[in-house]
Amino acid sequence: MPTIEVPPVFVMWLGLLILPLLPQKMRPAAFLAFPLSALFLVLTIAVGTVRTMPFAHYELVVLQVTQLNRVFGIIFALIALLGGIYSLHLRETGQQSAALLYAGGALGVTFCGDFFTLLVCWEVMAAGSTYLIWASRSKEAQDAGMRYLLYHLLGGGLLLGGIVVHVQATGSLLLTAFIPGESLAAWLILAGVVVNAAMVPFHTWLPDSYPKATVTGAVFLSAFTTKTAVYVLAALFPGWPILLTMGVVMALYGVTYAFLANDIREILGYHIISQVGYMVAGIGIGTELALNGAAAHAYSHILYKALLFMATGAVLHATGTSKLHQLGALAPRMRWVLVFYMVAAFSISGVPLFNGFISKSIIVAAAGDSHYYLAKFLLILASVGTFLSVGIKLPYYTWFHEKKVEYQLKPIPKGMMTAMAATSLLCFLYGILPDYLYRQLPYAMDYRPFSIRYLVEATQIVIFTFLGFWAVRAKLAPKNHLSLDTDWFFRASAPLFRRVFVGWVNTFFAAAERRAFDLAHGVSTLSANPIQVLRSLHSPTRDFDPDLDRPALGVTIVLTLLTLVIVAAWSLLA
């Protein structure tokens, strides 16, 4: 049977043309056909396949399948399918189209082989994801979406600048891995990718915007932007030492702010930063084992993080609030949502038999094998903070603590429950059968996660973290407060920058406009009646008198005859 070698992005974007033409009731189910088709393509197109198309003087590589991008492509298409099932109750074509645009852009970045295609799909992702934030249609979502868009325009600008410098220096658009510190182009491209990866301090767009997105939109947001950036880092910047440092900082920074947050989806947003930090650290280590760990953890993370956002989105859908200080006592009425949430919580915390354990431990082991012992210790320490906030604090105060506010629970749509059940099953299956994931990784490895050493280490983290929380739980009650992050510096200086770069500039242009209009008015007046203007200069108090101010008819005749004589004489002499 011949293989269909079509870029998966084309299949996803085909939905943008077809969905609006279908009856509204058919669109949610029809949505599933496009990620399902993309998943089929990813699974069937052989590694090594390359497809190009001409563009100007270049050949664009719109499809290039490697073992590395194949593992990312599988999970991107799969999570788009699960997100579609979660959104079956949704009837808004705008959100459905934005999700296809967004997920298609991620697949386009993943399977392209040139910088131009990467840049186009990169910016398309920004457009689709911004709409999923604005779709909440609240003032907070509008403002957060604008900040999100500005950040990604900054990242896209840096990426574009790096690509231009690279093409000028090499004459090639083809993607290629950079040697650490290789060139200005490499640093500019890295800076552009850093923004999308939410590296500290350019991370605040993520916890600022994801909690403001729609319930269904947040599931897609949790999967694509940062993990697409992780793929680009793994493809272009493996073994860059700075990434190890930045990754460890992200892992610790994210868990710290997650513990302080009060919004349940903001907690998860900060934990995206932390978990992406593990992947970035693995890429910075750069060994085959570490790169396998980064790819495997991205795969696992997309599953359990989407499940976390599904479960907390179900809480928000049912109660109307996502504030931890307002929630409580939901366990009897949302029992299955709690079960699904805890599967994801155990997964992100690296509890044995769940998928986070079989991927996160690879990166920690790679750090030890490469003698980065401090990094290894700090990554293990970050795991403690992960279980403390996501595995204990959030579920305790959401499902078990006393109720703080009265609310009428809305029923949870069947599609949401089905998607959570399917994602939970995958988190558990990969956790007990890791070889199904390991076989997809870019490099062969002989790694066994269920060794006594790793099991004891993970179990100790879980037990002692739980005991520590239980001992001081009374002092950890959530409070309605805002934790200042690095965006405080941007926001605090905003009035000054607005006054200098907006206010002063507007004042200058307003003054220039007034002067221009005054000049135009003077020229218009002079052109309409120059004698009146000249007379007013001599006698400003006297009004225009046509009998006095108009020239005599004889003067006009004389000037006309004189002109004719001059023209005739010029003709004869010529």
Side-chain angles (χ1 to χ4, degrees):
M1 180 178 176
T3 303
I4 303 173
E5 296 178 349
V6 176
V9 57
F10 291 171
V11 175
M12 298 293 284
W13 287 354
L14 181 64
L16 299 174
L17 302 177
I18 295 178
L19 275 187
L21 303 178
L22 300 176
Q24 189 181 53
K25 292 183 179 180
M26 289 180 57
R27 291 171 191 164
F31 176 99
L32 303 180
F34 303 104
L36 186 61
S37 300
L39 180 60
F40 172 79
L41 289 174
V42 174
L43 291 172
T44 55
I45 299 176
V47 172
T49 300
V50 177
R51 290 292 176 266
T52 63
M53 60 182 293
F55 177 77
H57 300 294
Y58 299 96
E59 284 286 324
L60 302 184
V61 183
V62 295
L63 177 63
Q64 178 175 282
V65 183
T66 66
Q67 198 62 45
L68 175 63
N69 64 22
R70 188 172 184 272
V71 67
F72 279 87
I74 291 171
I75 191 57
F76 284 159
L78 177 60
I79 206 62
L81 177 63
L82 292 169
I85 297 172
Y86 187 80
S87 309
L88 280 175
H89 64 284
L90 189 66
R91 295 293 184 269
E92 187 181 336
T93 308
Q95 286 196 59
Q96 294 163 341
S97 300
L100 287 174
L101 190 71
Y102 184 29
L107 287 169
V109 170
T110 303
F111 287 105
C112 73
D114 67 271
F115 280 111
F116 181 82
T117 307
L118 184 148
L119 179 66
V120 171
C121 294
W122 194 265
E123 296 306 309
V124 167
M125 285 178 60
S129 54
T130 302
Y131 183 87
L132 293 176
I133 299 167
W134 281 339
S136 293
R137 293 181 173 83
S138 65
K139 180 64 166 59
E140 293 80 6
Q142 181 183 357
D143 294 343
M146 182 57 68
R147 291 189 290 270
Y148 175 95
L149 184 60
L150 289 174
Y151 262 108
H152 287 279
L153 289 175
L154 169 64
L158 291 169
L159 180 62
L160 174 60
I163 292 172
V164 170
V165 174
H166 177 74
V167 173
Q168 286 180 337
T170 65
S172 173
L173 276 173
L174 298 179
L175 295 179
T176 180
F178 295 105
I179 299 171
E182 175 181 327
S183 62
L184 173 62
W187 283 109
L188 287 173
I189 293 171
L190 176 62
V193 179
V194 157
V195 176
N196 271 32
M199 292 189 193
V200 181
F202 303 107
H203 66 283
T204 54
W205 57 267
L206 196 158
D208 176 35
S209 59
Y210 284 16
K212 314 296 193 309
T214 62
V215 168
T216 55
V219 175
F220 291 96
L221 290 168
S222 71
F224 295 120
T225 299
T226 50
K227 267 62 72 181
T228 305
V230 167
Y231 164 72
V232 174
L233 289 173
L236 302 183
F237 302 98
W240 280 52
I242 191 174
L243 293 181
L244 173 59
T245 303
M246 296 177 75
V248 172
V249 170
M250 291 173 69
L252 294 171
Y253 195 95
V255 296
T256 302
Y257 268 85
F259 189 75
L260 299 174
N262 180 48
D263 188 292
I264 55 178
R265 296 202 295 175
E266 184 181 358
I267 292 172
L268 302 184
Y270 275 112
H271 272 290
I272 291 178
I273 297 169
S274 178
Q275 295 299 301
V276 170
Y278 283 87
M279 306 168 209
V280 172
I283 295 167
I285 295 170
T287 62
E288 291 186 357
L289 181 63
L291 292 174
N292 272 354
H297 199 50
Y299 194 103
S300 296
H301 170 81
I302 289 172
L303 282 174
Y304 64 64
K305 185 58 70 173
L307 180 55
L308 287 168
F309 270 96
M310 288 178 186
T312 53
V315 171
L316 174 59
H317 176 86
T319 65
T321 182
S322 60
K323 299 300 182 182
L324 203 57
H325 76 282
Q326 296 176 337
L327 295 168
L330 291 177
R333 294 180 289 174
M334 300 184 69
R335 188 174 295 107
W336 279 108
V337 176
L338 170 61
V339 170
F340 298 144
Y341 175 88
M342 291 311 300
V343 170
F346 287 151
S347 297
I348 192 175
S349 302
V351 175
L353 303 182
F354 296 90
N355 67 341
F357 172 74
I358 61 100
S359 58
K360 185 187 295 185
S361 59
I362 302 176
I363 300 172
V364 175
D369 291 349
S370 300
H371 309 294
Y372 294 114
Y373 298 115
L374 177 60
K376 178 180 179 180
F377 170 75
L378 294 175
L379 291 175
I380 294 173
L381 182 62
S383 294
V384 175
T386 301
F387 185 60
L388 181 62
S389 56
V390 178
I392 304 177
K393 181 180 178 180
L394 193 155
Y396 177 74
Y397 287 107
T398 300
W399 277 276
F400 297 105
H401 201 254
E402 62 184 11
K403 184 191 297 185
K404 295 95 171 175
V405 178
E406 289 293 333
Y407 34 69
Q408 187 69 34
L409 293 184
K410 292 172 57 179
I412 299 173
K414 293 181 180 179
M416 295 172 70
M417 298 298 292
T418 302
M420 287 188 282
T423 311
S424 298
L425 181 62
L426 289 172
C427 288
F428 182 67
L429 286 178
Y430 281 117
I432 61 176
L433 300 170
D435 284 341
Y436 281 100
L437 174 56
Y438 291 171
R439 283 198 294 264
Q440 304 295 334
L441 298 179
Y443 304 103
M445 66 177 184
D446 182 20
Y447 177 79
R448 294 291 174 261
F450 298 114
S451 65
I452 297 299
R453 170 188 171 189
Y454 297 134
L455 289 172
V456 170
E457 181 181 278
T459 304
Q460 286 177 335
I461 290 174
V462 170
I463 292 175
F464 287 108
T465 302
F466 178 80
L467 292 176
F469 170 82
W470 196 254
V472 298
R473 66 189 185 281
K475 298 181 180 180
L476 300 178
K479 299 177 178 61
N480 187 21
H481 69 276
L482 177 67
S483 300
L484 296 179
D485 204 340
T486 56
D487 59 342
W488 178 86
F489 296 100
F490 310 141
R491 301 192 190 201
S493 59
L496 174 62
F497 279 88
R498 188 178 296 113
R499 183 166 62 252
V500 173
F501 295 103
V502 178
W504 291 2
V505 171
N506 284 343
T507 300
F508 172 79
F509 279 105
E513 183 182 48
R514 288 194 299 272
R515 298 297 179 269
F517 277 117
D518 291 344
L519 178 62
H521 178 72
V523 171
S524 175
T525 303
L526 179 63
S527 302
N529 203 324
I531 298 298
Q532 177 185 2
V533 175
L534 295 174
R535 178 75 69 181
S536 65
L537 293 176
H538 179 67
S539 303
T541 58
R542 187 173 70 79
D543 293 333
F544 175 73
D545 187 341
D547 294 325
L548 296 176
D549 295 328
R550 283 177 180 166
L553 182 61
V555 174
T556 303
I557 294 173
V558 169
L559 290 174
T560 303
L561 291 174
L562 181 60
T563 302
L564 290 173
V565 169
I566 293 172
V567 170
W570 179 266
S571 301
L572 291 174
L573 292 174

